[in-house]
Amino acid sequence: MQLSIPLLVFTVLCVGACAYLSVVIRQAYVHSLTSVEEKSAGIIHFYRARLRVLLSGAPDRMSILCGLHYLTVHLIPLVAGLSFYLKTDANFLVVILSIVWNMQLFQRVFPGDSDAEDQT
């Protein structure tokens, strides 16, 4: 097993950025002036709303930070796994596990519309 120092450094930077952005997003959620129903929906609702603002084409500072956080959370398992160069086919497992991680993350953040359930 060999270690890729540049990928390991990038992993540490991604984890640090993710931790910092998590704190910043949490503080922005706590200090946001939204309605009671939005506050009761939780931080995931706030996070989703910021990501939708980013994808709508009118980004603000918080939506960009949420987008960077989302990107770092997606990159961490892949880069961390590939920083350890295995001389076997286990590198394929790292890629497969990171794909599963990304699919689960996407399903948790964007679970789908609840309107489709109401119509059936």
Side-chain angles (χ1 to χ4, degrees):
M1 179 171 78
Q2 295 176 349
L3 189 65
S4 173
I5 299 298
L7 280 177
L8 190 61
V9 169
F10 186 66
T11 301
V12 170
L13 290 175
C14 279
V15 169
C18 186
Y20 173 74
L21 289 171
S22 296
V23 170
V24 169
I25 291 168
R26 173 79 176 147
Q27 291 299 320
Y29 166 71
V30 169
H31 297 299
S32 66
L33 299 173
T34 57
S35 66
V36 174
E37 65 184 33
E38 288 178 353
K39 283 287 190 181
S40 65
I43 194 166
I44 295 295
H45 181 270
F46 176 79
Y47 192 70
R48 266 186 219 133
R50 296 296 112 213
L51 288 175
R52 285 192 178 116
V53 167
L54 178 69
L55 296 175
S56 72
D60 58 351
R61 179 182 174 272
M62 187 50 57
S63 64
I64 292 172
L65 291 178
C66 286
L68 286 173
H69 180 267
Y70 192 64
L71 180 69
T72 58
V73 171
H74 276 287
L75 284 177
I76 287 172
L78 179 65
V79 177
L82 292 179
S83 65
F84 299 102
Y85 178 70
L86 307 172
K87 295 182 179 181
T88 63
D89 290 335
N91 289 330
F92 179 72
L93 291 176
V94 169
V95 173
I96 295 298
L97 290 175
S98 66
I99 289 171
V100 170
W101 167 272
N102 290 334
M103 286 175 30
Q104 289 295 316
L105 180 64
F106 187 76
Q107 287 177 350
R108 297 296 183 260
V109 174
F110 297 106
D113 293 332
S114 61
D115 295 337
E117 296 173 0
D118 296 336
Q119 291 177 357
T120 56

